[in-house]
Structures are given as structure tokens and as C-alpha cells.
Amino acid sequence: MIRVTANPFDPGAEINAFQAAHTEAGAMVSFTGIVRSRPNDSISALILECYPELAENELSAIRQAAIARFGLLDAAIIHRHGRLVPGETIMMVLTLAPHRQAAFDGAQFLMDYLKTDAPFWKQEETPAGLRWVEAKEEDDVAKERWT
């Protein structure tokens, strides 16, 4: 399941529905990303731009790659776009597998993709104005383990 949306979602409800659909799974991993504002670098909002159809197509392709690579029973990505304030849920990755290692690896693989290559453009709304969020070297390094 892939969902790219401007609407909020309930992570607990998403986890329960995803797990209930797969009684054959032995392990489920979930990761929920939250918009944050650091005390020494505060933001009032994170603005995510995307072309929803393009994003859904790209996320579907990486989801299928994760399922095949790690032997997952299923995987899901929910990602929001628009203006989000600190404390709001921004995204969620869910993986189901027969065993825990595949579920963990699949979730990390998807997260590393989302941090480096997903087609979302991010701006932070700060007291000084808008600024684009730049790529981080540590995210690129994390992604390299999958090559």
C-alpha cells in the first residue's frame, strides 16, 4: 500500500489494519516520522512539495523492490505533503515478514530511500524566513549499505 496525501493519518490505526490483514506474518516493523523543531534551530513548519502521481509511482517501485529483496509479505509507505507543523506525523513505513530480520532490513531500506531519493522537496519555515532542506551526507552513507 502506498498513500501520498495532504491529510493527517492515525499511525496506530494504520498499524492495526496492516497487521490484521496478514495473519501469516511473524514480524512487523513500523517507523513513524514526526516533524521536529530543535531548540537551537527552531522551525514553525515543514513544507513538503511533490507531484503526488510521480511520488506514488516512485514509492510503489521501491516498495516492490523491498518486497522482492527481503522476502517481505507486504510493505506500506504513507507520506504526507503540504504544510506540517512540529509534532505532526509526516510519514510511516510498515513491513511484514515471516521473521524479524527481514522486516527490520526492509524497513531500513525503505527509510534510507525516503531520506535520499524520494521525490519530495522540503522547505523549513523559520523565524528568518523559508529555507530549503539540504541532503545530509549521513543519509547518503546509510543508503550505500544497500548497494
Side-chain angles (χ1 to χ4, degrees):
M1 183 254 310
I2 299 296
R3 188 176 336 135
V4 176
T5 180
N7 299 322
F9 62 90
D10 178 348
E14 298 292 345
I15 289 170
N16 290 339
F18 190 71
Q19 181 181 344
H22 296 282
T23 57
E24 73 278 21
M28 179 178 70
V29 169
S30 68
F31 176 85
T32 303
I34 302 165
V35 177
R36 68 174 171 240
S37 179
R38 297 179 190 100
N40 59 345
D41 189 19
S42 67
I43 68 167
S44 53
L46 179 66
I47 302 164
L48 290 104
E49 298 177 8
C50 73
Y51 297 103
E53 286 183 28
L54 170 67
E56 287 175 4
N57 288 340
E58 293 289 323
L59 297 181
S60 291
I62 199 67
R63 174 185 170 270
Q64 288 301 325
I67 289 170
R69 181 173 184 161
F70 300 103
L72 302 176
L73 300 170
D74 201 357
I77 302 170
I78 305 168
H79 207 298
R80 293 188 56 200
H81 60 90
R83 185 178 184 277
L84 289 78
V85 298
E88 282 192 86
T89 301
I90 186 173
M91 55 75 58
M92 176 173 246
V93 165
L94 300 158
T95 57
L96 282 166
H99 303 284
R100 69 176 180 239
Q101 193 62 55
F104 277 116
D105 289 346
Q108 288 186 314
F109 173 81
L110 291 169
M111 282 305 309
D112 289 340
Y113 166 81
L114 289 170
K115 290 294 286 183
T116 57
D117 294 329
F120 294 90
W121 298 271
K122 300 175 188 174
Q123 287 185 305
E124 293 175 328
E125 199 175 275
T126 73
L130 290 176
R131 68 177 176 215
W132 288 102
V133 176
E134 301 294 328
K136 294 183 177 90
E137 184 178 345
E138 62 263 22
D139 294 332
D140 290 328
V141 170
K143 187 183 115 184
E144 286 178 15
R145 69 182 150 171
W146 306 114
T147 56

